[in-house]
């Protein structure tokens, strides 16, 4: 589920042209390598807390336990905002990819809204059933896209790179801060991982969360890091890094992948890429739907927003009310961009992605510092100078740096979408939701202290404040 949320082929085809063309340039592999290190360090602290606390609210529960209920509620609402808009964002790029694929393969020029509505409907139906149904569907799509990316990069490596070799210098870590606009490049590198942290949301639905969740999270970060760095390196080496920059800045940036695919694998690979971009986007959108549903469920079962959100299906165990609510929200967002005449890629995908990423980076930063605070007060047997202090501190600083990069380069990151009015509202929306969460928590503390006490504290009974007891294999 976490790998599907990150959507490797969508991340590569959607973000790499920006990283290469307007970010790190020929140093793009170094950018992905640097972000791999930052996120791995962040994850060390994140999973240390996941070993003791299992909750569908993930960041909401973690921040509440570490920094208190007030900041926890603000973080929870920001996380809800992020995952809610992420689904709508991915619906936009799914519709864009589908429109292109159907026109190229069948000569059908269908409105993008048709594909968007179909995706929303299928996602709603599949999410009604238990998580295993969704995970099996996504697994098929995930395997296909990872195999295709690996085949492309592997074929270039087997040929020893392009006409001028492999260009090992593109992996030099110092290149992460070089290029046309390193800030934009690194931001889009970070965006390529969004969703890896969603493993913690599924702890309540896993067999042994104390073992499974930390391993799954670290595996997701490292797997994506290796894959992204390798694919980026080989794509740049396929011709020459300079030629790759030219393709990325041209009128058809997807040629960054389609040209080497045709050259090293054949025409069939181009067709496969076009369809896998569609299925990858679908898998990504469905995974984000699951994330948003579980955040709505976590807050709803504590009696906030609406208690009906906290219901689970008697047979399938799915948070079906929260799931259908999320479908309605995503539909409203899609229709809002539709009725205002926005493009599915430039408007819907780009702007909602920036909004969600900014919100989630704020939450991840707070989560890092929550880990430090939590272990200063709890579980002395689990305290460790690196895992519960240095790693989360470095991770939090790295996330804060990513926020600064995004804010400073907001206009450049948005591109043509920076002219849309919604773009101007993005920082204000994030600030308003965060302050709204603080206000809600303070109101509950003053007027409903009994409900305030459970804020961010509902976790799986056998997982709450777990100690380091032996776990049966």
């Amino acid at each position: 589920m976490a790998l599907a949320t990150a959507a490797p082929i969508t991340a590569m085809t959607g973000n790499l042209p920006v990283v290469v063309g307007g970010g790190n340039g020929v140093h793009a592999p170094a950018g992905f390598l640097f972000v791999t290190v930052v996120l791995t360090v962040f994850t060390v602290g994140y999973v240390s807390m996941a070993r003791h606390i299992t909750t569908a609210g993930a960041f909401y529960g973690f921040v509440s336990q570490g920094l208190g209920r007030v900041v926890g509620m603000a973080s929870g609402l920001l996380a809800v905002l992020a995952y809610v808009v992420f689904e709508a964002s991915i619906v936009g790029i799914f519709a864009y990819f589908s429109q292109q694929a159907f026109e190229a393969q069948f000569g059908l020029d269908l409105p993008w809204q048709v594909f968007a509505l179909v995706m929303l409907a299928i996602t709603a139906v599949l999410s009604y059933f238990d998580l295993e149904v969704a995970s099996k569907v996504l697994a098929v799509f995930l395997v296909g896209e990872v195999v295709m990316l690996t085949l492309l990069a592997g074929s270039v490596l087997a040929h020893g790179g392009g006409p001028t070799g492999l260009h090992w210098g593109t992996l030099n870590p110092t290149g992460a801060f070089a290029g046309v606009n390193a800030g934009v490049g690194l931001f889009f590198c970070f965006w390529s991982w969004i969703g890896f942290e969603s493993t913690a949301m599924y702890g309540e639905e896993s067999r042994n969360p104390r073992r499974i969740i930390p391993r799954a999270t670290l595996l997701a970060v490292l797997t994506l890091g290796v894959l992204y760095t390798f694919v980026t390196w080989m794509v740049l080496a396929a011709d020459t890094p300079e030629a790759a920059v030219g393709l990325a800045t041209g009128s058809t940036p997807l040629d960054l992948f389609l040209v080497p695919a045709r050259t090293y694998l054949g025409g069939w690979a181009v067709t496969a890429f076009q369809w896998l971009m569609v299925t990858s986007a679908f898998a990504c959108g469905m995974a984000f739907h699951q994330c948003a549903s579980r955040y709505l469920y976590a807050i709803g079962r504590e009696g906030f927003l609406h208690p009906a959100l906290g219901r689970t299906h008697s047979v399938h165990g799915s948070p079906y009310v929260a799931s259908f609510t999320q479908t309605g929200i995503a539909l409203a967002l899609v229709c809002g961009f539709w009725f205002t005449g926005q493009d599915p890629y430039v408007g819907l995908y780009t702007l909602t992605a920036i909004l969600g990423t900014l919100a989630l980076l704020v939450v991840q930063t707070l989560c890092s510092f929550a880990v430090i605070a939590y272990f200063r007060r709890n579980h002395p047997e689990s305290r460790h100078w690196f895992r519960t202090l240095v790693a989360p501190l470095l991770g939090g600083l790295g996330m804060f740096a990513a926020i600064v990069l995004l804010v400073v380069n907001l206009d450049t990151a948005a591109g043509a979408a920076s002219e849309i009015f919604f773009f101007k509202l993005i920082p204000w929306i994030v600030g308003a939701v965060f302050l709204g969460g603080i206000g809600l928590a303070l109101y509950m503390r003053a007027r409903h202290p009994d409900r305030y006490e459970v804020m961010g504290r509902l976790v799986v009974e056998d997982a709450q404040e777990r100690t380091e007891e032996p776990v049966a294999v």
Side-chain angles (χ1 to χ4, degrees), residues 112-113 335-344:
W112 69 266
Q113 295 88 346
C335 289
F337 279 83
W338 172 7
F339 296 153
T340 53
Q342 301 299 323
D343 181 85

Side-chain angles (χ1 to χ4, degrees), residues 89 188 343-355 413-415 417 426:
S89 175
F188 276 93
D343 181 85
Y345 182 83
V346 174
L348 181 56
Y349 170 68
T350 302
L351 291 183
T352 49
I354 290 175
L355 171 60
I426 288 176

Side-chain angles (χ1 to χ4, degrees), residues 165-232:
L166 292 173
H167 294 273
W168 290 90
T170 60
L171 292 168
N172 187 335
T174 59
F177 306 98
V180 178
N181 192 323
V184 171
L186 290 176
F187 163 69
F188 276 93
C189 287
F190 272 105
W191 162 236
S192 300
W193 265 268
I194 290 294
F196 80 89
E197 75 292 333
S198 63
T199 50
M201 300 177 198
Y202 304 113
E204 298 185 15
E205 299 163 83
S206 64
R207 290 187 302 274
N208 190 336
R210 185 182 158 216
R211 290 173 60 90
I212 290 173
I213 300 307
R215 289 183 179 183
T217 310
L218 280 170
L219 184 62
V221 170
L222 293 173
T223 299
L224 291 170
V226 171
L227 181 65
Y228 290 159
T229 304
F230 178 50
V231 170
T232 303

